[in-house]
Amino acid sequence: MAHQKPGEPRNLRTSVKGPLMFSAFWAVVAFFAVLIFASGGSARSPRFDLAFTGAGIAFIVTLVIAAMLSMSYKDNAAHLGKGSGVNLSSARKSSQGHGGQGTQGGPDAPGTAGPAAPGESGPDGGAS
């Protein structure tokens, strides 16, 4: 609400209309579901008392949940969108020592035995 200016309409997240419409929708769904399933078939009269009770419970529960979720909303810090994270790029640079040519312990380092090419002799001196 700090960004709210007098006379301007609120956005859907900060207004009351969004959670009320969401809760009203689920109350109507609960009303018809309870009205259909609580009667026990078409031979019996519909149970409007249970349908209104179920709709009221659904309205209150979804309104409380929506209000709690909207109160817990917090914008991310500004520095999180600047690209200062760990995975800035998927390309590995040889200067960082991640396995480029000339790094110690890499597959091309001197003194390490890599897979022998076809026609070359293996580490025991014989042909592989």
Side-chain angles (χ1 to χ4, degrees), residues 49-123:
D49 56 341
L50 290 177
F52 281 117
T53 303
I57 290 172
F59 180 79
I60 291 170
V61 168
T62 55
L63 189 62
V64 167
I65 290 172
M68 289 175 61
L69 288 174
S70 67
M71 286 190 312
S72 67
Y73 174 78
K74 179 181 168 186
D75 284 331
N76 287 337
H79 73 278
L80 293 177
K82 299 287 187 211
S84 62
V86 175
N87 297 322
L88 293 177
S89 160
S90 61
R92 295 181 182 239
K93 297 177 183 168
S94 62
S95 64
Q96 294 177 346
H98 290 319
Q101 289 186 359
T103 58
Q104 289 183 335
D108 298 328
T112 59
E120 293 184 352
S121 62

